[in-house]
Structure formats: structure tokens, C-alpha cells
Amino acid sequence: SYYTAKNTERMQRRLPLMKAALNSEALRDFVYNHTYQGRRQFSDNEGLTNEQIYDRMRDATEELFTNEKYVAEFRSELYYSRRSVVGYVTPSWPSWIMPNTKFFVNYSDAFMAAHWVHEWLHLIGFSHYQTSTYSVPYAVGDAAEKIIQALLAQ
């Protein structure tokens, strides 16, 4: 495992940032008001309205966990690759978020916490087949990073 003492400390520092972003009014407002192609919607939205997307996020019911509602759950294991992939989720490990150590140790706390938001959104059923900037994982992950940066600047 790449979870050394230093990487474990990084993870423990970043998880509360993820939680703060997911529970923020700013993220709720972003999701409710997000527009794509001139309408309040996301691309790759699974046929859901912005409000329904936010409700799914608040329910936090991962597709493969039998957890309590309102609790974001996932497992994480670091891996290393020279590729430019920050991390991923995969059907073969359906409850795992796999951050690339190359980025995990060098990128900011805000970026990596927001990356977990992005990957967690895959775990609750959102994808990005096309126009990724406006998809739920990318748009909400980017908004989470900005929210976290603002929290850290206070």
C-alpha cells in the first residue's frame, strides 16, 4: 500500500474538506443553478433535474453499499502510474476510489479533496460520456475545489 504515515495524514486532512464542500450551501446553490446549453441542467445528467441531482447527492446512496442515507462512503487505495490520470473508479472494485500517488502527494489539499468528490459522484451513479466540463462529476468537482479553496483562505 502507498498509504504511508505521511499519505495517511494527507488523507485525514483532506476528508473533512470533502465533507465541508459536500455539506455547503455554496455547493447546493451551484448544483441548483448550474446551466448547460442555456438551461438549468448538466450534461450526462442521467435524465435528472438539478434538484434531483442534488437530492441524490444528499441521499448519498452509493449503488453498491447498503449504508445509511446521508453518509458518503467509499474505500480508497493509492496506486502509482506515470500516466496523466489523477485517479479512477472501476467496476472491478466498485466501492473504491483509486488516487494516483503521483498526484496525491504533489497536488493541493483542495484539488485532491475535490477529486474525491468527482470520483464519489461516479459511485452514486454519475458519468461523463461527453462534454465532460459540464457533466456532474467534473462540474461539481470543480465547484467543490473552489469552495474548499475559499474555506482554506478564511
Side-chain angles (χ1 to χ4, degrees), residues 7-8 33 39 41 43 49 57 78 80 83 89-90 96 103 110-111 136 141 146 148 150:
N7 285 342
T8 299
N33 296 307
R39 294 179 39 204
Q41 65 181 357
S43 71
T49 66
M57 290 170 57
L78 293 170
Y80 179 79
R83 295 176 46 217
V89 296
T90 179
W96 290 78
F103 299 98
F111 181 90
V136 176
K146 291 176 182 150
I148 293 165

Side-chain angles (χ1 to χ4, degrees), residues 93-111:
W93 285 22
S95 60
W96 290 78
I97 295 174
M98 309 292 290
N100 186 344
T101 306
K102 172 180 158 183
F103 299 98
F104 188 82
V105 300
N106 293 311
Y107 278 32
S108 72
D109 289 346
F111 181 90

Side-chain angles (χ1 to χ4, degrees), residues 34 36 42-43 128 130-140 142:
H34 183 269
Y36 170 65
F42 289 82
S43 71
H128 46 79
Q130 52 185 277
T131 323
S132 62
T133 303
Y134 297 99
S135 69
V136 176
Y138 274 105
V140 174
D142 290 348

Side-chain angles (χ1 to χ4, degrees), residues 68-118:
E68 294 181 39
K69 289 176 76 166
Y70 315 116
V71 177
E73 282 190 311
F74 63 91
R75 296 170 179 87
S76 185
E77 182 64 51
L78 293 170
Y79 76 102
Y80 179 79
S81 173
R82 289 181 286 177
R83 295 176 46 217
S84 61
V85 175
V86 177
Y88 66 93
V89 296
T90 179
S92 60
W93 285 22
S95 60
W96 290 78
I97 295 174
M98 309 292 290
N100 186 344
T101 306
K102 172 180 158 183
F103 299 98
F104 188 82
V105 300
N106 293 311
Y107 278 32
S108 72
D109 289 346
F111 181 90
M112 290 310 299
H115 169 70
W116 277 330
V117 170
H118 169 106

